[in-house]
Amino acid sequence: MTPPTPLLAARGAGRTFGRKRALEAVELELWAGDALALVGPNGAGKSTLLALLAGALEASVGKVERRKGLRVGWAPQRPAQYGRLSARENLELFARLEGEHDPRAAAGRLLEAFDLPGEAEPSANLSVGNRQRLNLAISTLGGPEVLLLDEPTAALDPEQRRRLWERVAALREAGGAIVFATQNLEEVELVANRVAALRDGRIVFTGTRDEYDRAHVESLSA
Amino acid sequence: MNRVALLLRKDVLVLRRSPLLLGILIAYPLAIALLVGLVASYGSSKPRVAFVDEDNLPASVVLGGKRFDVSHTIDQASKNVKLVRLSSEEAERQLADGRVVAVVTVPPGFVSTLRGMVRSPQLQLQLSTGTISSRVEQQVQALVYTLNRQLQRAYIASNLRYVKLILHGGDGSFIGAPITVLGIEKAQGLLRAMPPSTRREQLLDFLHDARLALANTNDALSSTAHPIELVREPGRGRTWALSAEVQAYALALTITFLALLLAAGSLAAERDENVVGRLARGLVGLGQLVWSKVALAAVVAVALGLAIAVAFGLIIQIGSVTGGEPWRRLPLLALGLLLAGGSLGALGALLGALAREARSASLVALLVVMPIVFLGLIPAEVVPPAGWLSDLLPFAHAVRFFRSALYDLSPWREVLKEGLWLVALGAVFGGLARVGARRLLV
């Protein structure tokens, strides 16, 4: 019997930009059903770690391993979409690139699910919140089993936040997993079962949410 | 659909939604082509040349029995230069500060030497330094040539009058002194009236031969004066503005602007939109991203290039311009536009990858395009290093491809050579752009 393998794993993966080391070599595993919260101050390396896990960046050292055939969705902190295309056109384009069977239908479904305007207005003209919703919608194209979300709720209203976390819960129940970067401790409490804390490009804590809570309380009382 | 094609379709859609940008991208190079044309036409304009008269030329001069109006003769001979009469000092000063490009001086004693017909009088020429001086020297030589031709005609006419006098006899003048000549015809008459003798027959034979020989003097003198004569036939070629050369340059210049700016701007815009990371995580490779921009440049180059070629052809056709428009060559031209657009697009993509931001990329492309074009305009025979450098860039190859594709009787050899150049340059720039595109991920 083969031992279980994680969905996604960083094996000593790190990244430098020129002379600047954005992320030291890190070890991290993501298992089915996980909701891993990445916490830490600005510039700690959370976004770089997510980009490495997503495959948007190549690791300068080490590597990122994916379970064979794993589909990963990624929503970067700054929306990644074409400003001169409408929300529908963006969704259709990325649906085609993701290999969706029926790109038009997939776009229509996500427009409705994320409550996005379907008219031909360029997405650059959308509100900040709508642009972020489109960003998240694009990340769900292609039926990903793992979602990597970088501060996903920063520009969302409470209703949209609730809907997002409902989708995440459904994904986890279906055997998927999520990694999300956040500054919001309430979301950590609400969503995460595991936490990784980063500081100055290093992981300084990994553990369950309860372990993190205890460590957090201890650090506050120390 | 192929992923490169998907991105290409997206870029064309974006371009269609930017009519102002598209309009400027089309109008700007055409305006530049027009300006370049005007600059190039300076090649046939008149340089300013100082004329210094140190001989106090009279209003008219009689040479070889013909009266020359000096001012009129000089005006006629100086069609290709703008002669300005200046004093010697003023001419020196203007030559030094570049207001005139040459000084032609008529030295003292010029006219008297000319009248003497014993030796040739000399005009003195001073030239500015620089590349234009050789052209001015040619034009001043043309001026002297024209003067010489007018004088030759007068001298030949004068010589022929003497020949006529020798043949027929009569009154004339030589170096101002009146003379009376018996003439061969009258000499023959006098000899025939004399009693026959061997000596009389010998003299009559000689006079007969001399008369025949002198009768051909007109043609002989003319052919000696002009061993080779250039006869100008009525104009049959196109005007410069509609020439094959201008058509090829206008096409190349327009698509160079478009392809460079579009490829550079659109590649860098992918980073501005923050989508490079999203694409690069397995959806679209960086190589595919670069080639989609190359394809965009090639497609736009073909569409716009053919539109320009058709518009140019219609002008030729409607105006019944000599030579007509080679419509059959449009498919070959389209191939050249595709290759040139792609090659220039690859160079543009490299600039976009290096600049990383759309605004910087567009500015860099705009700054780069002018030297590329002007390098291609400099004749390699004049400045060889410019020719070598130009060979490493697609513009000059595009010009040669278009010219040959449209107008050469047998274009295949040239088209194949330049086509291979464009493909090779496109592959090199595309490869470099692919390497440079990693910078877009940062």
Side-chain angles (χ1 to χ4, degrees):
Chain A
M1 190 174 156
T2 54
T5 56
L7 294 173
L8 202 57
R11 307 286 187 208
R15 175 74 193 196
T16 54
F17 294 112
R19 289 182 181 176
K20 188 187 170 196
R21 185 170 290 276
L23 187 69
E24 299 283 350
V26 298
E27 295 285 343
L28 195 72
E29 289 184 345
L30 187 71
W31 296 86
D34 268 350
L36 173 63
L38 302 179
V39 297
N42 291 333
K46 303 187 295 293
S47 295
T48 304
L49 177 56
L50 280 172
L52 282 181
L53 293 173
L57 279 179
E58 286 178 16
S60 306
V61 292
K63 62 181 177 180
V64 171
E65 290 177 352
R66 282 185 187 189
R67 188 184 282 177
K68 195 175 177 185
L70 183 78
R71 294 187 299 275
V72 177
W74 174 56
Q77 188 175 10
R78 184 161 75 86
Q81 59 226 15
Y82 293 106
R84 286 197 179 265
L85 300 188
S86 68
R88 180 184 291 280
E89 287 166 340
N90 266 293
L91 286 166
E92 280 193 28
L93 172 64
F94 283 104
R96 287 194 167 87
L97 290 172
E98 290 279 6
E100 284 272 4
H101 177 65
D102 187 347
R104 197 176 288 262
R109 193 176 63 244
L110 287 172
L111 282 173
E112 195 179 328
F114 282 83
D115 200 14
L116 284 163
E119 61 266 25
E121 189 178 13
S123 64
N125 295 350
L126 296 178
S127 67
V128 175
N130 275 344
R131 288 215 298 272
Q132 175 63 352
R133 271 187 263 164
L134 176 58
N135 189 35
L136 290 167
I138 291 171
S139 73
T140 64
L141 282 164
E145 292 138 316
V146 171
L147 275 177
L148 306 168
L149 309 177
D150 198 346
E151 304 207 16
T153 57
L156 297 185
D157 59 44
E159 172 60 17
Q160 288 297 331
R161 289 183 193 193
R162 189 186 59 75
R163 285 201 209 176
L164 173 69
W165 296 130
E166 279 177 6
R167 276 188 208 101
V168 166
L171 178 74
R172 289 173 66 192
E173 280 171 20
I178 173 181
V179 183
F180 66 103
T182 184
Q183 304 279 6
N184 188 333
L185 291 180
E186 280 180 25
E187 285 181 347
V188 176
E189 290 296 321
L190 181 72
V191 181
N193 68 333
R194 291 175 57 214
V195 179
L198 289 95
R199 186 178 296 153
D200 297 330
R202 296 173 190 202
I203 291 184
V204 293
F205 171 87
T206 50
T208 63
R209 192 186 64 210
D210 292 340
E211 288 167 342
Y212 174 71
D213 287 342
R214 281 197 295 277
H216 190 58
V217 170
E218 283 167 14
S219 70
L220 287 175
S221 56
Chain B
M1 195 187 287
N2 179 294
R3 290 169 184 210
V4 172
L6 280 172
L7 287 183
L8 173 62
R9 199 175 78 159
K10 180 267 296 178
D11 282 330
V12 171
L13 190 62
V14 168
L15 202 58
R16 261 180 41 200
R17 289 190 181 159
S18 318
L20 181 66
L21 173 71
L22 195 60
I24 289 173
L25 280 175
I26 294 168
Y28 187 75
L30 287 175
I32 293 293
L34 183 69
L35 290 174
V36 169
L38 288 174
V39 171
S41 68
Y42 172 72
S44 59
S45 73
K46 294 181 177 184
R48 198 164 174 267
V49 174
F51 182 75
V52 177
D53 176 12
E54 293 185 336
D55 193 34
N56 292 320
L57 289 171
S60 63
V61 181
V62 178
L63 294 167
K66 185 179 177 185
R67 180 174 295 279
F68 287 92
D69 179 327
V70 172
S71 294
H72 181 67
T73 306
I74 290 174
D75 286 346
Q76 271 194 324
S78 59
K79 281 179 184 167
N80 293 325
V81 293
K82 184 178 180 185
L83 275 184
V84 280
R85 285 177 177 268
L86 296 174
S87 67
S88 177
E89 295 76 20
E90 182 64 18
E92 285 288 335
R93 207 162 61 82
Q94 292 206 10
L95 184 66
D97 63 26
R99 274 186 289 168
V100 295
V101 294
V103 178
V104 178
T105 304
V106 180
F110 181 87
V111 173
S112 61
T113 309
L114 196 61
R115 278 193 184 122
M117 294 171 66
V118 178
R119 61 188 173 87
S120 299
Q122 292 182 332
L123 283 175
Q124 293 162 352
L125 174 66
Q126 283 178 283
L127 288 167
S128 58
T129 53
T131 51
I132 197 171
S133 61
S134 61
R135 190 161 64 85
V136 173
E137 187 173 4
Q138 286 170 0
Q139 286 175 341
V140 173
Q141 281 172 348
L143 183 152
V144 173
Y145 168 80
T146 313
L147 278 173
N148 277 337
R149 280 203 63 175
Q150 293 195 20
L151 291 170
Q152 274 168 1
R153 281 199 204 104
Y155 289 154
I156 288 170
S158 170
N159 289 340
L160 286 175
R161 276 197 297 278
Y162 286 124
V163 170
K164 210 179 261 181
L165 205 58
I166 291 168
L167 275 172
H168 307 298
D171 294 328
S173 68
F174 185 69
I175 320 179
I179 54 169
T180 301
V181 177
L182 175 64
I184 290 175
E185 282 177 2
K186 286 177 185 165
Q188 281 178 314
L190 288 173
L191 272 174
R192 284 196 191 98
M194 290 171 75
S197 69
T198 310
R199 286 183 179 177
R200 190 197 78 151
E201 292 309 315
Q202 283 175 334
L203 280 170
L204 278 172
D205 283 349
F206 167 72
L207 289 173
H208 176 261
D209 293 344
R211 195 176 165 186
L212 280 178
L214 286 173
N216 291 317
T217 304
N218 190 356
D219 292 343
L221 276 176
S222 297
S223 63
T224 310
H226 313 291
I228 297 172
E229 197 163 7
L230 184 65
V231 179
R232 187 177 167 184
E233 294 190 6
R236 296 184 62 183
R238 292 184 181 189
T239 64
W240 173 86
L242 296 176
S243 67
E245 199 74 4
V246 167
Q247 193 175 3
Y249 273 113
L251 279 171
L253 200 147
T254 307
I255 67 160
T256 298
F257 262 89
L258 268 179
L260 275 183
L261 261 77
L262 274 183
S266 62
L267 184 63
E270 299 281 348
R271 182 175 180 272
D272 288 359
E273 305 261 36
N274 197 35
V275 290
V276 179
R278 178 159 263 163
L279 296 175
R281 56 180 199 89
L283 299 185
V284 178
L286 289 177
Q288 288 176 306
L289 188 60
V290 166
W291 290 119
S292 74
K293 306 308 170 191
V294 172
L296 173 70
V299 165
V300 174
V302 170
L304 186 67
L306 283 180
I308 292 174
V310 167
F312 196 94
L314 287 175
I315 292 170
I316 300 279
Q317 209 76 38
I318 293 165
S320 302
V321 176
T322 311
E325 181 68 7
W327 294 112
R328 285 178 301 132
R329 297 292 184 87
L330 282 191
L332 192 55
L333 178 69
L335 175 67
L337 289 164
L338 188 77
L339 294 177
S343 189
L344 287 156
L347 176 58
L350 174 60
L351 297 178
L354 294 176
R356 296 171 66 199
E357 292 171 350
R359 274 186 295 186
S360 306
S362 303
L363 183 62
V364 169
L366 201 61
L367 292 173
V368 162
V369 80
M370 294 304 274
I372 289 178
V373 167
F374 283 112
L375 269 175
L377 290 174
I378 299 170
E381 306 79 34
V382 177
V383 188
W388 304 330
L389 205 54
S390 185
D391 272 345
L392 299 177
L393 297 163
F395 177 78
H397 299 289
V399 170
R400 292 198 280 266
F401 190 114
F402 300 156
R403 192 170 47 205
S404 186
L406 282 171
Y407 292 103
D408 280 1
L409 272 179
S410 177
W412 302 112
R413 188 184 166 86
E414 180 81 352
V415 157
L416 181 67
K417 189 182 87 175
E418 299 305 339
L420 287 174
W421 262 106
L422 289 170
V423 169
L425 289 174
V428 170
F429 290 132
L432 291 172
R434 164 63 187 86
V435 174
R438 293 166 65 93
R439 288 165 53 82
L440 300 173
L441 287 168
V442 178

